[in-house]
Every structure is written in C-alpha cells, then in structure tokens.
mmCIF file of all heavy atoms in Angstrom:
data_model
loop_
_atom_site.group_PDB
_atom_site.id
_atom_site.type_symbol
_atom_site.label_atom_id
_atom_site.label_comp_id
_atom_site.label_asym_id
_atom_site.label_seq_id
_atom_site.Cartn_x
_atom_site.Cartn_y
_atom_site.Cartn_z
ATOM 1 N N VAL A 1 0.768 -1.179 0.003
ATOM 2 C CA VAL A 1 0.023 -0.002 0.000
ATOM 3 C C VAL A 1 0.847 1.243 0.019
ATOM 4 O O VAL A 1 0.362 2.324 -0.257
ATOM 5 C CB VAL A 1 -0.976 -0.015 1.285
ATOM 6 C CG1 VAL A 1 -1.999 -1.055 1.064
ATOM 7 C CG2 VAL A 1 -0.215 -0.094 2.520
ATOM 8 N N VAL A 2 2.144 1.175 0.437
ATOM 9 C CA VAL A 2 3.008 2.310 0.408
ATOM 10 C C VAL A 2 3.093 2.862 -1.109
ATOM 11 O O VAL A 2 3.297 4.079 -1.224
ATOM 12 C CB VAL A 2 4.369 1.982 0.975
ATOM 13 C CG1 VAL A 2 5.339 3.163 0.840
ATOM 14 C CG2 VAL A 2 4.249 1.565 2.443
ATOM 15 N N ARG A 3 3.051 2.015 -1.979
ATOM 16 C CA ARG A 3 3.234 2.410 -3.454
ATOM 17 C C ARG A 3 1.891 2.756 -4.055
ATOM 18 O O ARG A 3 1.893 3.153 -5.267
ATOM 19 C CB ARG A 3 3.858 1.312 -4.203
ATOM 20 C CG ARG A 3 5.277 0.935 -3.639
ATOM 21 C CD ARG A 3 5.837 -0.277 -4.450
ATOM 22 N NE ARG A 3 7.153 -0.744 -4.000
ATOM 23 C CZ ARG A 3 7.779 -1.706 -4.461
ATOM 24 N NH1 ARG A 3 7.313 -2.402 -5.480
ATOM 25 N NH2 ARG A 3 8.971 -1.965 -3.947
ATOM 26 N N LEU A 4 0.853 2.767 -3.416
ATOM 27 C CA LEU A 4 -0.471 2.887 -3.982
ATOM 28 C C LEU A 4 -1.157 4.209 -3.614
ATOM 29 O O LEU A 4 -0.749 4.873 -2.635
ATOM 30 C CB LEU A 4 -1.451 1.765 -3.560
ATOM 31 C CG LEU A 4 -1.043 0.297 -3.922
ATOM 32 C CD1 LEU A 4 -2.105 -0.632 -3.420
ATOM 33 C CD2 LEU A 4 -0.680 0.172 -5.391
ATOM 34 N N ASP A 5 -2.025 4.637 -4.512
ATOM 35 C CA ASP A 5 -2.938 5.858 -4.132
ATOM 36 C C ASP A 5 -4.135 5.383 -3.275
ATOM 37 O O ASP A 5 -4.690 6.126 -2.476
ATOM 38 C CB ASP A 5 -3.338 6.481 -5.419
ATOM 39 C CG ASP A 5 -2.234 7.017 -6.274
ATOM 40 O OD1 ASP A 5 -1.428 7.764 -5.637
ATOM 41 O OD2 ASP A 5 -2.180 6.747 -7.459
ATOM 42 N N GLY A 6 -4.647 4.202 -3.627
ATOM 43 C CA GLY A 6 -5.749 3.634 -2.816
ATOM 44 C C GLY A 6 -5.428 3.154 -1.441
ATOM 45 O O GLY A 6 -4.142 2.840 -1.163
ATOM 46 N N ARG A 7 -6.331 3.095 -0.507
ATOM 47 C CA ARG A 7 -6.097 2.655 0.821
ATOM 48 C C ARG A 7 -6.730 1.166 1.092
ATOM 49 O O ARG A 7 -7.650 0.837 0.526
ATOM 50 C CB ARG A 7 -6.732 3.589 1.775
ATOM 51 C CG ARG A 7 -6.222 5.042 1.808
ATOM 52 C CD ARG A 7 -7.096 5.784 2.756
ATOM 53 N NE ARG A 7 -8.512 6.010 2.304
ATOM 54 C CZ ARG A 7 -9.371 6.498 3.118
ATOM 55 N NH1 ARG A 7 -9.139 6.805 4.326
ATOM 56 N NH2 ARG A 7 -10.641 6.554 2.645
ATOM 57 N N ASP A 8 -5.975 0.405 1.907
ATOM 58 C CA ASP A 8 -6.551 -0.813 2.315
ATOM 59 C C ASP A 8 -7.550 -0.553 3.456
ATOM 60 O O ASP A 8 -7.190 -0.152 4.572
ATOM 61 C CB ASP A 8 -5.422 -1.660 2.865
ATOM 62 C CG ASP A 8 -5.821 -2.985 3.541
ATOM 63 O OD1 ASP A 8 -7.132 -3.312 3.452
ATOM 64 O OD2 ASP A 8 -5.056 -3.696 4.265
ATOM 65 N N LEU A 9 -8.845 -0.785 3.154
ATOM 66 C CA LEU A 9 -9.904 -0.543 4.076
ATOM 67 C C LEU A 9 -10.336 -1.744 4.939
ATOM 68 O O LEU A 9 -11.333 -1.757 5.619
ATOM 69 C CB LEU A 9 -11.109 0.131 3.417
ATOM 70 C CG LEU A 9 -10.867 1.338 2.605
ATOM 71 C CD1 LEU A 9 -12.170 1.818 1.934
ATOM 72 C CD2 LEU A 9 -10.237 2.530 3.492
ATOM 73 N N SER A 10 -9.606 -2.870 4.770
ATOM 74 C CA SER A 10 -10.032 -4.115 5.370
ATOM 75 C C SER A 10 -10.167 -4.080 6.806
ATOM 76 O O SER A 10 -11.159 -4.593 7.391
ATOM 77 C CB SER A 10 -9.082 -5.259 4.876
ATOM 78 O OG SER A 10 -7.753 -5.033 5.305
ATOM 79 N N ARG A 11 -9.254 -3.470 7.506
ATOM 80 C CA ARG A 11 -9.393 -3.282 8.947
ATOM 81 C C ARG A 11 -10.578 -2.473 9.450
ATOM 82 O O ARG A 11 -11.176 -2.862 10.392
ATOM 83 C CB ARG A 11 -8.021 -2.721 9.535
ATOM 84 C CG ARG A 11 -6.795 -3.648 9.363
ATOM 85 C CD ARG A 11 -5.666 -2.987 10.047
ATOM 86 N NE ARG A 11 -4.450 -3.788 9.937
ATOM 87 C CZ ARG A 11 -3.251 -3.583 10.514
ATOM 88 N NH1 ARG A 11 -3.063 -2.384 11.142
ATOM 89 N NH2 ARG A 11 -2.200 -4.412 10.326
ATOM 90 N N ASP A 12 -10.891 -1.493 8.712
ATOM 91 C CA ASP A 12 -12.053 -0.749 8.952
ATOM 92 C C ASP A 12 -13.334 -1.588 8.781
ATOM 93 O O ASP A 12 -14.246 -1.533 9.636
ATOM 94 C CB ASP A 12 -12.220 0.549 8.094
ATOM 95 C CG ASP A 12 -11.030 1.474 8.363
ATOM 96 O OD1 ASP A 12 -10.744 1.724 9.530
ATOM 97 O OD2 ASP A 12 -10.555 2.150 7.371
ATOM 98 N N LEU A 13 -13.342 -2.391 7.712
ATOM 99 C CA LEU A 13 -14.519 -3.263 7.447
ATOM 100 C C LEU A 13 -14.634 -4.194 8.520
ATOM 101 O O LEU A 13 -15.747 -4.560 8.986
ATOM 102 C CB LEU A 13 -14.401 -3.841 6.091
ATOM 103 C CG LEU A 13 -14.288 -2.833 4.908
ATOM 104 C CD1 LEU A 13 -14.328 -3.682 3.617
ATOM 105 C CD2 LEU A 13 -15.514 -1.984 4.933
ATOM 106 N N LEU A 14 -13.525 -4.982 8.821
ATOM 107 C CA LEU A 14 -13.660 -6.032 9.816
ATOM 108 C C LEU A 14 -13.876 -5.486 11.254
ATOM 109 O O LEU A 14 -14.474 -6.055 12.009
ATOM 110 C CB LEU A 14 -12.288 -6.794 9.896
ATOM 111 C CG LEU A 14 -12.039 -7.516 8.560
ATOM 112 C CD1 LEU A 14 -10.489 -8.089 8.596
ATOM 113 C CD2 LEU A 14 -12.872 -8.780 8.410
ATOM 114 N N GLY A 15 -13.412 -4.285 11.500
ATOM 115 C CA GLY A 15 -13.668 -3.588 12.847
ATOM 116 C C GLY A 15 -14.888 -2.865 12.897
ATOM 117 O O GLY A 15 -15.172 -2.095 13.881
ATOM 118 N N LYS A 16 -15.706 -2.793 11.695
ATOM 119 C CA LYS A 16 -17.010 -2.079 11.681
ATOM 120 C C LYS A 16 -16.760 -0.559 11.973
ATOM 121 O O LYS A 16 -17.606 0.083 12.601
ATOM 122 C CB LYS A 16 -17.972 -2.705 12.640
ATOM 123 C CG LYS A 16 -18.293 -4.177 12.377
ATOM 124 C CD LYS A 16 -19.258 -4.697 13.496
ATOM 125 C CE LYS A 16 -19.474 -6.178 13.266
ATOM 126 N NZ LYS A 16 -20.386 -6.809 14.295
ATOM 127 N N ARG A 17 -15.716 -0.081 11.422
ATOM 128 C CA ARG A 17 -15.361 1.353 11.527
ATOM 129 C C ARG A 17 -15.634 2.131 10.224
ATOM 130 O O ARG A 17 -15.473 1.496 9.048
ATOM 131 C CB ARG A 17 -14.038 1.607 12.097
ATOM 132 C CG ARG A 17 -13.607 0.967 13.428
ATOM 133 C CD ARG A 17 -12.175 1.506 13.697
ATOM 134 N NE ARG A 17 -11.293 0.979 12.782
ATOM 135 C CZ ARG A 17 -10.540 -0.108 12.890
ATOM 136 N NH1 ARG A 17 -10.790 -0.978 13.856
ATOM 137 N NH2 ARG A 17 -9.678 -0.539 11.900
ATOM 138 N N GLU A 18 -15.828 3.431 10.293
ATOM 139 C CA GLU A 18 -15.803 4.190 9.102
ATOM 140 C C GLU A 18 -14.413 4.564 8.677
ATOM 141 O O GLU A 18 -13.532 4.720 9.557
ATOM 142 C CB GLU A 18 -16.679 5.520 9.333
ATOM 143 C CG GLU A 18 -18.115 5.384 9.390
ATOM 144 C CD GLU A 18 -18.848 5.174 8.081
ATOM 145 O OE1 GLU A 18 -18.377 5.712 7.053
ATOM 146 O OE2 GLU A 18 -19.693 4.305 7.997
ATOM 147 N N PRO A 19 -14.087 4.553 7.442
ATOM 148 C CA PRO A 19 -12.700 4.951 7.022
ATOM 149 C C PRO A 19 -12.489 6.419 7.426
ATOM 150 O O PRO A 19 -13.430 7.285 7.531
ATOM 151 C CB PRO A 19 -12.741 4.805 5.523
ATOM 152 C CG PRO A 19 -13.868 3.862 5.246
ATOM 153 C CD PRO A 19 -14.963 4.094 6.302
ATOM 154 N N ALA A 20 -11.228 6.734 7.617
ATOM 155 C CA ALA A 20 -10.857 8.165 7.916
ATOM 156 C C ALA A 20 -11.114 8.954 6.638
ATOM 157 O O ALA A 20 -10.986 8.561 5.550
ATOM 158 C CB ALA A 20 -9.418 8.213 8.343
ATOM 159 N N PRO A 21 -11.552 10.227 6.822
ATOM 160 C CA PRO A 21 -11.714 11.156 5.760
ATOM 161 C C PRO A 21 -10.404 11.323 5.050
ATOM 162 O O PRO A 21 -9.357 11.418 5.637
ATOM 163 C CB PRO A 21 -12.302 12.492 6.373
ATOM 164 C CG PRO A 21 -12.820 12.020 7.721
ATOM 165 C CD PRO A 21 -11.909 10.844 8.215
ATOM 166 N N ARG A 22 -10.456 11.551 3.643
ATOM 167 C CA ARG A 22 -9.398 11.955 2.896
ATOM 168 C C ARG A 22 -9.822 12.585 1.618
ATOM 169 O O ARG A 22 -11.004 12.455 1.235
ATOM 170 C CB ARG A 22 -8.579 10.728 2.519
ATOM 171 C CG ARG A 22 -9.211 9.796 1.678
ATOM 172 C CD ARG A 22 -8.342 8.610 1.103
ATOM 173 N NE ARG A 22 -7.385 9.235 0.107
ATOM 174 C CZ ARG A 22 -6.568 8.480 -0.612
ATOM 175 N NH1 ARG A 22 -6.607 7.116 -0.444
ATOM 176 N NH2 ARG A 22 -5.722 8.903 -1.444
ATOM 177 N N ASP A 23 -8.904 13.265 0.936
ATOM 178 C CA ASP A 23 -9.216 13.804 -0.360
ATOM 179 C C ASP A 23 -9.487 12.780 -1.357
ATOM 180 O O ASP A 23 -8.750 11.767 -1.383
ATOM 181 C CB ASP A 23 -8.059 14.797 -0.837
ATOM 182 C CG ASP A 23 -7.933 16.023 -0.096
ATOM 183 O OD1 ASP A 23 -8.907 16.326 0.632
ATOM 184 O OD2 ASP A 23 -6.809 16.603 -0.130
ATOM 185 N N ILE A 24 -10.522 12.944 -2.215
ATOM 186 C CA ILE A 24 -10.812 11.960 -3.296
ATOM 187 C C ILE A 24 -10.587 12.705 -4.643
ATOM 188 O O ILE A 24 -11.082 13.739 -4.900
ATOM 189 C CB ILE A 24 -12.259 11.469 -3.200
ATOM 190 C CG1 ILE A 24 -12.447 10.673 -1.833
ATOM 191 C CG2 ILE A 24 -12.602 10.604 -4.379
ATOM 192 C CD1 ILE A 24 -13.822 10.344 -1.600
#
C-alpha cells in the first residue's frame, strides 16, 4: 500500500469502523 494511491480498508471493514476522511 505504500506504493498505491488507494487505501486498504479491510481493517475498517472487519472492525466495523468508518474509514478516515481523505481527499478523493
């Protein structure tokens, strides 16, 4: 993920959390 523009949201999904806000 260090090389990517996208984020790994799997922990948010498994933890039932909302992703942190970011510029889209």
